[in-house]
Amino acid sequence: MKIISSIEELRDQLSGQLRTAFVPTMGNLHEGHLSLMRLARRHGDPVVASIFVNRLQFGPGEDFEKYPRTFQADVEKLEKEGVYVLFAPTEKDLYPEPQEFRVRPPDDLGNTLEGEFRPGFFTGVTTVVLKLFSCVQPRVAVFGKKDYQQLMIIRNMSRQFALPTEIIAAETYRADDGLALSSRNMYLSPAERAEAPSLYQGLNVVADAVRAGNLDVADLERAAMQQLAQKGWNPDYISVRKRIDLQAPSADELARGTPLVVLAAAKLGQTRLIDNLEI
């Protein structure tokens, strides 16, 4: 595996490659990330991964400085997966001058759910992803469904800018007890780790109720949030939305069986976890 930090060297290395499959990450890789590499290989060759902790998507008081960085361990994992190139730019490599041009998602998608609680987050995400796409020029790129809203925003951005990159969605990779794998799980204390699957369990309660015909989603959302709060969580949202655009479904859309997804974000101690479940 070649480890490259400069954009110019990366482009030279990938020159002439027409089937590149790309997996962007912020490092601290776990089995969920590695499953994305395997999916990428099924859709293209060579596989290129990136590791870059993107300052633009962290708000004031968030964990940019303490975000776990495990570069050497990450390299060993990617080598075992047969990744061809690891693009690992420094901030100076990727942002040699202040990144004054930004990509801002539309308000109805970018300012709801995660966007409401993390203002500017998706502008940081879309800006760095567009820049990484420009550097790697992949035919396909793989993103996990755990970050459901992010996946939708990137897919819409790619379509609206007519980018020659197909966005592939990977199913959420879970531990045996249902907890979605996340780099931030390492922040959890042993007691918090034992409690953490309650988030996914709450999503299942809501989804099962909707499937059983309970269409009072506002009441289901409130009950699920109260249940988490009683267990010591600080929930930001549990929300049933339409899969197509992440807007709240109307009563008529619920009655028609419009495809839905229930999304959640909540803090357990100092660790903020997100998850979702398609209904």
Side-chain angles (χ1 to χ4, degrees), residues 24 27 36 42 46 51 66 90-91 114 125 133 136 151-152 155 161 217 234 242 250:
L36 303 184
R42 297 206 296 270
I51 293 177
K66 69 172 186 174
T90 65
E91 283 194 286
E114 283 298 279
V125 169
F133 282 3
V136 177
L151 169 65
M152 177 172 285
R155 181 171 274 159
F161 279 116
V217 295
N234 182 17
K242 294 182 291 182
S250 67

Side-chain angles (χ1 to χ4, degrees), residues 114-276:
E114 283 298 279
E116 178 182 348
F117 289 91
R118 302 183 67 187
F121 169 69
F122 286 119
T123 294
V125 169
T126 49
T127 298
V128 76
V129 168
L130 184 61
K131 193 157 193 177
L132 288 169
F133 282 3
S134 176
C135 296
V136 177
Q137 300 182 21
R139 188 186 71 82
V140 301
V142 179
F143 293 84
K145 279 189 178 182
K146 184 181 81 72
D147 299 288
Y148 202 93
Q149 188 175 6
Q150 172 180 281
L151 169 65
M152 177 172 285
I153 286 173
I154 290 170
R155 181 171 274 159
N156 289 359
M157 177 188 76
S158 187
R159 184 185 68 250
Q160 289 197 10
F161 279 116
L163 302 180
T165 301
E166 179 187 358
I167 306 303
I168 305 293
E171 295 298 327
T172 301
Y173 200 99
R174 300 184 181 278
D176 290 342
D177 59 7
L179 177 65
L181 295 198
S182 166
S183 295
R184 290 186 169 94
N185 289 354
M186 67 177 294
Y187 296 155
L188 297 168
S189 70
E192 289 167 346
R193 175 61 187 83
E195 168 59 28
S198 292
L199 186 64
Y200 183 53
Q201 292 162 10
L203 292 177
N204 275 280
V205 169
V206 173
D208 288 345
V210 172
R211 293 186 189 112
N214 184 345
L215 301 184
D216 188 352
V217 295
D219 184 62
L220 293 172
E221 292 164 353
R222 280 193 299 271
M225 290 183 69
Q226 288 171 359
Q227 186 72 19
L228 280 182
Q230 289 167 5
K231 293 183 175 184
W233 293 71
N234 182 17
D236 285 340
Y237 59 84
I238 296 179
S239 187
V240 175
R241 300 295 179 100
K242 294 182 291 182
R243 289 189 211 174
I244 192 169
D245 58 9
L246 293 189
Q247 300 304 299
S250 67
D252 184 54
E253 287 169 330
L254 288 169
R256 291 203 311 266
T258 296
L260 303 170
V261 57
V262 54
L263 308 101
K267 287 188 78 172
L268 183 58
Q270 297 301 308
T271 306
R272 188 174 185 273
L273 302 178
I274 66 170
D275 204 347
N276 65 81

Side-chain angles (χ1 to χ4, degrees), residues 80-107:
K80 288 179 181 176
E81 292 299 329
V83 169
Y84 176 61
V85 167
L86 169 59
F87 181 43
T90 65
E91 283 194 286
K92 193 169 183 62
D93 289 316
L94 202 59
Y95 302 131
E97 58 184 281
Q99 188 66 37
E100 295 169 341
F101 285 86
R102 305 286 179 99
V103 180
R104 185 172 67 83
D107 290 344

